[in-house]
Amino acid sequence: MTTTEVAEQLDLGRRSTYERLERLVGHDRLDTKKVGGNGRVWWQPFTDGQALPKGQERDAVDSDLGKVFDRISDGFYALDEELRFRYLNDTAADLFELNEDAIGSDIRTENLTETYENALYESLETQEVVVFEDYYPPWDKWFLNAIYPSESGLSVYSRDITERKRRERELSRYETIVETSPIGITIVDSDGEMQFANDRAEEIYGRSKDRINDLSFDDPEWTEVDVDGEPLPDDEKPFPQIMESGEPVFDHVSGISRPDGERVWISINGAPVYDDHGEIESAVFAIENITERKEREQALRESEARYRSLTNDVLDTSDVGTFILNSDFEVVWINEAIEEFFGLDRETIVGRNKRALIEAEIAGIFEEPERFANRVTATYEDNTYTEEFESHVLGEGSLEERWVNHWSQPIESGLYAGGRIEHYTDITERKERERALEESERRYRTLVKNFPNGAVGLFDDDLQYTAIGGELLDATGVSPEDRIGNSVYDIYPDDIVEEIEPYFEAALEGEANSFEAEYNDQNLFAYTLPLRNDGGEVFAGMLVVQDVTERREYQRKLEESNERLEQFAYSVSHDLQEPLRMVTSYLQLIENRYGDALDEDGEEFVEFAIDGAERMRQMIDGLLEYSRIETRGDPFEPVDLDDVLDDVRDDLQMRIDERNADITTDDLPCVDGDDNQLRQVFQNLLSNAIEYSGDEPPKVDISATRDGDRWSISVQDNGIGIDPDEQERIFEVFQRLHTHEEHSGTGIGLALARRVVERHGGEIWVDSEPGEGSIFSFTLPASQNQDE
Ligand code: ADP
């Protein structure tokens, strides 16, 4: 047979078959010869081996040297053709429980099995050697029997093989176990050749048994890698390790690549098998495919890494404090915000059971520790989401007082499935804002409720009143409840809405306005303005309404009466001019025509009369002028007061020189006004300052100071001054503090000045002490067009 044929028959690898055959050749049991280039044939040479027992039997019986057989441990006996014992050795005698006396007795009287008896007949009949195994129940033994026909009958050779049978059975049991094992099993001999691999090993390696057998560990196809995927150095592979150390290897994890390219992770347990000489004969390996486990581990590691990078990147920089708890509610991770929140460091927190941590370190900082602890841990059992809830930190020790918002959620999958994520947010600022808002809202509400002679309303983005009140509502019998919750669109008629809506909207945009409106036969003066929180955001609009019906009525009446007065003053002065002119001209006629006929007294009387008429004319002119200030004024324009003052100084030049007056002046501003009227003001004040200067030469200083959008102009003199009791009166028409003899004048100059200044929206007043000089000041609006 060729090596391959033998290997196939024995179901062994070629190489091990070869080695076994080689050994038989060494024991002279086989011959071999090389044929062709690479082949070899093996055969069993014919020997007397098989016939030997026959010869022995013949020798033994024929020469009656039977005693020789007595010494051999196997049973041996001879039968004649009638199947009667001719000879039996000691062992056979023991077997059949016979002695020498049995010679001549028929073996069939013994309790033979059917197989045994049939074999005896068969051999007698065919004259062939019959070899068979037989189980003998009475003794519970197996025998290997060989029956040899001879000339005189049969020789039977019987060997007790019970022990071998038992071992075989056992072996086959092991074989079954090994073959059906869910664990791959291989045996590698000391040369590194794989002797055996079971089906499971085949499956794991992805190679047929033969291919595994053929595969040497040196084969480049056999790549093993470590857990990082790096090729495994030889001395770290399990087989070389066992050979080197002589010790077993446990759970050696490596990756192998299958021929189909798939990477498989295996865990190997291996142990050396020693031969009788204490040499390692082979190594036995149990191999498990742990690819799935490895992949799961890998996925877990990756998910953990992702988780960590997420938690580190996102959560650590977050203001929201975060705990991650595992399914035992132990803290596995916290971010920096948590350390700050509770004034505890990572080492104190991480690894602790959260319940214990709350009890020992956390709950105590809260105003209501029990409530806090209960709220936090309540959901640990049923693993639900918590509602957010707010807790107050008292702020003792190094902790600041603050408000904390807490909520948590279960972790449903991944590394910490069954655990929780807990969030803590510092809401102190929001709380404070809310409180401030509440306070300011309360203030507004108080104001709203009691607002005098008007009404106040707060409105929201939809122009709905959220609060409204005030005496005006009470007076008109409107209940605030009817208004609150309703919008301006619901409440007011369309024409009013159209008028006021822009102002309401503007208020919500941050713009304040005032306007007048007529509603319910009332004149209302309204302000709309934004209400802002501390952060400057508009949170509502406010409407303030004042009932100005009466004031408007009064104003209207005043205007009417003023108008009538002006009309009256105008017509009086106008109508008086005519008779006055008559008086004057007839007085002059008397003086011219009859002057010589008059005595000294008469001349003087006429002179007084002319003088009086002249003063009366001036007064009437002044009154006329005074009455026309409102009605005959020019529209306001930018006026440069420097120019005005220059004109005035020109007009007064003669008197200035006469009195040797010293006039100094600032740069005067530009104002909006009527330049003729303003000239009159300066003229009157300046001429008064020169007129009422006393004995000293007049010193007059004109200055201007800015006060917001107004200018304050002052004319200061060093004159006689004015008694404080008189300081109001001098601004009235025809009011004078001096007689005509002392100082000439009509008493209308300051009244006129006041009316002009008032027309310009300003005021005029005097600061003075008798003998200390006077300062006349008045305000004027700064020019819109020019700054200075
Ligand atoms: P008059 O034509 O009398 O000057 P005014 O209305 O200009 O009329 O002034 C009223 C009165 O105020 C004057 O009669 C004078 O008594 C007093 N008066 C006005 N200016 C001065 C001043 N600069 N110093 C002192 N008294 C003044």
Side-chain angles (χ1 to χ4, degrees):
M1 293 166 96
T2 63
T3 315
T4 314
E5 282 168 342
V6 179
E8 262 168 23
Q9 282 215 354
L10 299 180
D11 197 12
L12 277 176
R14 271 191 80 248
R15 192 160 157 190
S16 77
T17 304
Y18 185 91
E19 279 185 3
R20 282 154 206 244
L21 292 171
E22 192 77 67
R23 257 181 265 148
L24 286 172
V25 171
H27 290 108
D28 287 335
R29 303 283 295 279
L30 283 181
D31 277 347
T32 181
K33 189 176 186 176
K34 213 172 160 205
V35 288
N38 219 0
R40 192 169 273 280
V41 290
W42 313 81
W43 74 94
Q44 195 173 13
F46 179 78
T47 64
D48 289 334
Q50 277 164 317
L52 189 65
K54 217 179 190 172
Q56 279 172 349
E57 174 263 343
R58 195 168 37 236
D59 285 347
V61 175
D62 291 352
S63 57
D64 223 72
L65 291 171
K67 300 296 178 203
V68 174
F69 289 97
D70 290 345
R71 289 204 299 274
I72 64 171
S73 57
D74 292 334
F76 179 76
Y77 54 91
L79 302 171
D80 65 14
E81 284 176 337
E82 304 300 317
L83 301 180
R84 287 180 301 237
F85 282 110
R86 285 174 55 218
Y87 167 80
L88 69 170
N89 70 355
D90 291 347
T91 313
D94 287 350
L95 274 175
F96 290 103
E97 291 175 343
L98 298 171
N99 55 31
E100 287 292 319
D101 304 340
I103 301 292
S105 70
D106 192 328
I107 191 171
R108 278 167 296 184
T109 60
E110 302 304 322
N111 219 350
L112 298 181
T113 63
E114 221 178 279
T115 319
Y116 199 102
E117 218 174 295
N118 288 340
L120 291 173
Y121 296 144
E122 188 190 331
S123 187
L124 264 183
E125 209 166 289
T126 60
Q127 285 295 303
E128 296 272 329
V129 178
V130 176
V131 179
F132 66 100
E133 287 179 358
D134 189 28
Y135 177 67
Y136 193 58
W139 303 333
D140 189 24
K141 279 185 188 296
W142 278 90
F143 293 99
L144 173 66
N145 302 310
I147 305 172
Y148 299 89
S150 69
E151 282 152 23
S152 52
L154 298 171
S155 302
V156 181
Y157 183 89
S158 211
R159 170 176 285 187
D160 182 347
I161 56 163
T162 310
E163 184 58 22
R164 199 195 84 202
K165 275 295 205 192
R166 195 185 56 78
R167 272 217 310 280
E168 266 177 20
R169 264 202 318 277
E170 215 163 69
L171 209 64
S172 92
R173 240 190 344 260
Y174 284 133
E175 223 169 78
T176 317
I177 292 171
V178 165
E179 279 304 340
T180 57
S181 159
I183 291 170
I185 292 171
T186 60
I187 301 171
V188 179
D189 71 17
S190 55
D191 297 331
E193 192 180 338
M194 193 166 287
Q195 297 292 342
F196 172 81
N198 69 353
D199 288 350
R200 179 64 181 149
E202 203 176 58
E203 206 181 299
I204 292 173
Y205 286 115
R207 292 170 167 87
S208 75
K209 231 168 246 187
D210 295 343
R211 294 278 296 127
I212 301 179
N213 286 348
D214 284 352
L215 199 62
S216 143
F217 278 97
D218 303 328
D219 199 313
E221 200 185 311
W222 188 270
T223 50
E224 273 181 276
V225 293
D226 63 15
V227 286
D228 300 319
E230 296 299 317
L232 209 60
D234 273 350
D235 56 357
E236 283 178 27
K237 291 178 182 174
F239 176 74
Q241 268 183 16
I242 289 174
M243 294 307 290
E244 176 70 23
S245 67
E247 297 288 329
V249 165
F250 297 107
D251 196 25
H252 177 283
V253 173
S254 60
I256 55 164
S257 41
R258 284 182 178 173
D260 57 14
E262 205 181 313
R263 166 62 49 86
V264 179
W265 289 98
I266 55 175
S267 158
I268 294 179
N269 289 304
V273 177
Y274 290 92
D275 64 14
D276 296 343
H277 310 291
E279 299 288 324
I280 297 177
E281 178 191 271
S282 56
V284 181
F285 294 99
I287 302 128
E288 268 182 282
N289 184 346
I290 55 160
T291 312
E292 233 172 79
R293 190 182 93 198
K294 284 291 283 186
E295 275 167 2
R296 223 168 38 238
E297 275 173 15
Q298 181 67 19
L300 267 181
R301 258 203 305 281
E302 275 166 21
S303 106
E304 189 183 22
R306 270 202 306 277
Y307 211 75
R308 290 225 180 279
S309 84
L310 173 87
T311 47
N312 291 339
D313 292 357
V314 180
L315 298 178
D316 222 12
T317 53
S318 161
D319 288 345
V320 178
T322 304
F323 280 101
I324 295 177
L325 310 183
N326 64 17
S327 51
D328 293 328
F329 306 115
E330 285 163 357
V331 180
V332 291
W333 192 87
I334 56 160
N335 65 354
E336 277 172 25
I338 286 291
E339 294 180 285
E340 278 167 38
F341 254 88
F342 297 107
L344 299 171
D345 55 19
R346 220 165 267 255
E347 286 67 43
T348 317
I349 300 175
V350 172
R352 297 272 296 277
N353 178 284
K354 183 72 195 304
R355 283 177 210 274
L357 188 69
I358 287 175
E359 216 162 277
E361 318 263 5
I362 292 181
I365 68 171
F366 290 96
E367 187 175 25
E368 298 170 280
E370 246 170 69
R371 178 179 159 271
F372 174 81
N374 289 341
R375 286 297 295 263
V376 175
T377 55
T379 46
Y380 284 8
E381 297 312 324
D382 45 2
N383 219 21
T384 52
Y385 284 79
T386 54
E387 300 277 309
E388 293 186 23
F389 70 94
E390 296 171 356
S391 308
H392 187 213
V393 176
L394 285 173
E396 287 159 349
S398 61
L399 285 178
E400 270 175 49
E401 188 206 335
R402 62 179 99 187
W403 280 89
V404 171
N405 185 49
H406 173 274
W407 63 282
S408 71
Q409 68 193 99
I411 302 174
E412 269 149 20
S413 60
L415 204 55
Y416 303 125
R420 295 191 76 76
I421 301 180
E422 299 187 348
H423 304 276
Y424 291 82
T425 320
D426 189 327
I427 52 160
T428 314
E429 249 175 59
R430 195 191 82 202
K431 273 293 211 193
E432 266 163 17
R433 264 206 313 278
E434 277 173 8
R435 209 177 40 215
L437 194 69
E438 265 166 37
E439 227 165 73
S440 75
E441 227 172 44
R442 199 164 40 78
R443 272 202 305 274
Y444 281 121
R445 272 173 213 288
T446 319
L447 168 76
V448 163
K449 243 181 127 178
N450 307 296
F451 194 74
N453 188 35
V456 181
L458 305 187
F459 52 88
D460 64 14
D461 287 351
D462 301 324
L463 309 194
Q464 245 177 30
Y465 285 114
T466 56
I468 195 162
E471 287 179 3
L472 188 63
L473 289 188
D474 301 342
T476 49
V478 174
S479 140
E481 280 69 47
D482 293 344
R483 291 283 192 254
I484 291 170
N486 286 319
S487 74
V488 297
Y489 309 104
D490 306 327
I491 299 169
Y492 306 120
D494 288 350
D495 53 333
I496 299 258
V497 169
E498 206 176 304
E499 209 182 316
I500 65 174
E501 188 189 357
Y503 296 115
F504 278 61
E505 295 286 4
L508 294 171
E509 297 291 319
E511 190 184 304
N513 282 293
S514 64
F515 58 96
E516 279 190 49
E518 226 172 285
Y519 178 60
N520 272 350
D521 292 332
Q522 283 170 319
N523 284 95
L524 302 177
F525 188 79
Y527 300 89
T528 45
L529 52 144
L531 294 186
R532 297 173 192 276
N533 61 19
D534 292 347
E537 293 156 62
V538 177
F539 68 88
M542 185 174 185
L543 168 73
V544 181
V545 174
Q546 291 259 267
D547 181 4
V548 291
T549 316
E550 263 175 45
R551 201 196 304 164
R552 288 285 170 270
E553 185 69 4
Y554 172 76
Q555 209 172 350
R556 202 174 44 74
K557 280 187 183 148
L558 199 67
E559 273 164 16
E560 274 173 14
S561 102
N562 266 351
E563 235 166 76
R564 274 200 301 277
L565 260 172
E566 257 173 43
Q567 193 59 40
F568 171 74
Y570 175 77
S571 43
V572 164
S573 47
H574 188 263
D575 293 354
L576 281 178
Q577 276 180 330
E578 179 51 31
L580 181 61
R581 257 202 293 280
M582 204 145 93
V583 170
T584 310
S585 47
Y586 279 101
L587 279 172
Q588 270 163 359
L589 209 61
I590 289 169
E591 194 185 28
N592 291 342
R593 203 175 288 181
Y594 307 105
D596 298 342
L598 293 174
D599 61 6
E600 225 169 271
D601 278 354
E603 258 175 40
E604 201 179 35
F605 295 159
V606 169
E607 225 166 273
F608 284 155
I610 288 176
D611 197 32
E614 173 60 17
R615 274 196 289 125
M616 190 167 178
R617 187 190 60 80
Q618 284 175 3
M619 286 167 79
I620 288 171
D621 281 352
L623 193 60
L624 194 62
E625 206 176 330
Y626 181 86
S627 71
R628 286 169 167 177
I629 296 263
E630 287 291 333
T631 50
R632 299 274 171 101
D634 290 331
F636 291 175
E637 279 175 1
V639 178
D640 187 345
L641 295 182
D642 283 324
D643 296 344
V644 171
L645 187 64
D646 282 348
D647 286 353
V648 171
R649 285 170 76 158
D650 281 352
D651 290 349
L652 295 178
Q653 197 56 49
M654 243 168 61
R655 298 195 52 201
I656 292 170
D657 292 346
E658 230 172 59
R659 302 295 306 270
N660 199 15
D662 177 16
I663 297 171
T664 56
T665 175
D666 275 359
D667 263 352
L668 297 184
C670 193
V671 297
D672 275 339
D674 178 332
D675 67 342
N676 277 320
Q677 293 184 345
L678 291 178
R679 183 178 299 118
Q680 198 112 53
V681 173
F682 275 98
Q683 174 127 16
N684 292 350
L685 294 180
L686 206 58
S687 62
N688 281 352
I690 295 167
E691 178 68 38
Y692 304 104
S693 65
D695 300 333
E696 297 292 307
K699 276 173 78 81
V700 184
D701 183 59
I702 301 157
S703 61
T705 52
R706 174 119 191 197
D707 177 17
D709 56 355
R710 332 210 53 152
W711 282 99
S712 217
I713 320 282
S714 295
V715 179
Q716 178 169 18
D717 64 50
N718 62 340
I720 56 175
I722 304 160
D723 191 318
D725 290 343
E726 314 284 1
Q727 285 175 7
E728 259 308 298
R729 194 162 68 89
I730 54 173
F731 290 100
E732 280 164 30
V733 180
F734 301 143
Q735 294 297 328
R736 312 194 63 228
L737 303 181
H738 301 91
T739 59
H740 173 59
E741 283 68 35
E742 289 170 314
H743 293 283
S744 66
T746 55
I748 206 152
L750 287 178
L752 208 114
R754 177 161 78 174
R755 217 161 139 73
V756 169
V757 169
E758 278 173 359
R759 185 187 168 220
H760 284 75
E763 283 176 278
I764 186 165
W765 68 97
V766 64
D767 295 298
S768 175
E769 288 292 332
E772 301 282 313
S774 309
I775 307 170
F776 282 86
S777 304
F778 59 97
T779 54
L780 289 174
S783 167
Q784 309 271 319
N785 299 349
Q786 228 173 307
D787 261 346
E788 287 286 314

